[in-house]
Amino acid sequence: MADRAISYPFRFSAVGTLTTTSDRNKILKDRIILMCLTQIGERVMLPTYGTTVPATIFENEFDAVSLAKQSVVEGFSKWFPDLIFKDLRGELDDNTSDLTLEIHYNDPEGNPQTVGLRTALFTRYGDIIEEVSGG
């Protein structure tokens, strides 16, 4: 693994340089987040990279968690063979319709780690979840 990596989210520092990190745990978590938020087929030169997590936005809570878990397990085995996937838990916030996913895994040294993601869920009926008005 690299000693230094571009930090996620991608941003510039106050002096105009890219923000980077040398924290090994942050590098791993950033890479897991990027894999989970990349739709399979999105990267032209690496079309099998990613998961179906972005597509779960149109599923109900149970299906979204189940599909996300299956896809993340496959992603871990293919892209992070030195990490051990333990569990994925999901919880829907009824007020915001946000689905929070918590991914539990062990790092290469066997230490338990957790990374969280938050994504929205939309209804299949085209209901307006949140209306944004100008002004």
Side-chain angles (χ1 to χ4, degrees):
M1 182 185 320
D3 292 334
R4 182 168 293 285
I6 295 173
S7 188
Y8 178 82
F10 181 84
R11 62 186 178 276
F12 292 99
S13 69
V15 295
T17 59
L18 286 174
T19 56
T20 60
T21 183
S22 57
D23 179 350
R24 183 177 167 98
N25 286 331
K26 173 135 176 62
I27 292 171
L28 285 173
K29 288 179 182 186
D30 288 353
R31 289 180 178 177
I32 292 168
I33 290 170
L34 290 172
M35 179 199 64
C36 290
L37 297 180
T38 300
Q39 179 69 36
I40 293 174
E42 185 177 332
R43 293 193 179 183
V44 175
M45 300 301 287
L46 202 55
T48 61
Y49 180 80
T51 65
T52 59
V53 170
T56 62
I57 195 167
F58 300 107
E59 301 296 337
N60 63 48
E61 177 185 6
F62 177 77
D63 290 343
V65 173
S66 176
L67 292 169
K69 185 173 186 174
Q70 179 183 356
S71 185
V72 170
V73 167
E74 290 170 8
F76 261 76
S77 66
K78 186 169 189 170
W79 302 108
F80 301 112
D82 54 336
L83 303 180
I84 299 169
F85 177 84
K86 290 297 199 181
D87 192 23
L88 183 143
R89 296 186 192 129
E91 184 177 297
L92 183 67
D93 182 334
D94 292 329
N95 296 323
T96 64
S97 293
D98 285 347
L99 178 65
T100 302
L101 300 175
E102 223 176 58
I103 301 167
H104 300 271
Y105 65 97
N106 286 355
D107 64 19
E109 289 78 35
N111 301 315
Q113 302 289 334
T114 302
V115 64
L117 300 170
R118 175 170 270 164
T119 183
L121 289 181
F122 294 127
T123 67
R124 291 181 183 264
Y125 306 107
D127 296 338
I128 297 174
I129 292 176
E130 181 178 350
E131 186 175 15
V132 179
S133 60

